[in-house]
Amino acid sequence: MPPRRSADAARSSHNTFELGLRLYLGEAGVLMDYDEAVQLFRIAADQGHANAQHSTGVVYRDQRQDYGEATRWFRLSGLATAQYNLAALYHKDTGVHQSDGKAARYSRLAADQGFAEAQRNIGNCLLIGEGVAQDVGEAACYYRLAADQGHVDAMYSLARRYCADEGGLPQQDYGEAARWFRLAADQGYAEAVR
């Protein structure tokens, strides 16, 4: 496809997705029309629009409870949120075969794209060896990435790693632990107040 046609097609799929989103949410003066929104998501998704593919996956997961189709669309999307949603499907055994290994794999893919919730999740997997080889040091690194983005659960988990004498960090550091406990407590994390 010549560059101009390719750019026009990308713009068209983006506009189709944006209209679908407005209809789905009832935003920007557009009346909510769920059925029309889903059709527009699917059109844009079929054209390769990653956000539309993710949204199509969400529709199949949440409204239609068709987890096989949701999985297919999340895989096609490749977005961090889609990878995270795949991890959740494999972790919970909701219509797809439960697999700790696949849950960890997709959590890591989303985490490596900077998605804080996935960074915390892969940290948890690494900490206990769920679906991956146990690696306390790597768990602490992922907790730190998420904590630096303001993820309160990760702040608490990182603080606990600074208190623990189980490796993974260069050494115990109660001052650093206190700092992260305080940051988590300041955001209302009850466990950090204890």
Side-chain angles (χ1 to χ4, degrees), residues 100-120:
D100 290 340
K102 286 182 181 180
R105 177 175 167 245
Y106 286 111
S107 285
R108 188 184 300 267
L109 287 170
D112 290 345
Q113 292 181 58
F115 197 67
E117 184 70 24
Q119 290 167 335
R120 192 279 316 249

Side-chain angles (χ1 to χ4, degrees), residues 58-153:
V58 169
V59 167
Y60 277 106
R61 181 195 62 201
D62 296 347
Q63 274 77 37
R64 298 184 178 167
Q65 281 78 47
D66 184 339
Y67 302 108
E69 272 300 292
T71 298
R72 183 172 85 82
W73 287 106
F74 288 148
R75 278 192 186 123
L76 284 172
S77 169
L79 296 174
T81 51
Q83 305 293 343
Y84 175 77
N85 284 328
L86 275 169
L89 285 173
Y90 282 114
H91 182 73
K92 295 178 184 173
D93 191 22
T94 51
V96 295
H97 181 69
Q98 194 271 339
S99 168
D100 290 340
K102 286 182 181 180
R105 177 175 167 245
Y106 286 111
S107 285
R108 188 184 300 267
L109 287 170
D112 290 345
Q113 292 181 58
F115 197 67
E117 184 70 24
Q119 290 167 335
R120 192 279 316 249
N121 286 356
I122 192 63
N124 289 345
C125 292
L126 288 159
L127 183 66
I128 63 173
E130 183 177 85
V132 293
Q134 185 177 21
D135 187 330
V136 176
E138 192 176 7
C141 289
Y142 276 107
Y143 288 146
R144 179 63 187 254
L145 290 170
D148 284 343
Q149 292 185 67
H151 193 286
V152 70
D153 288 337

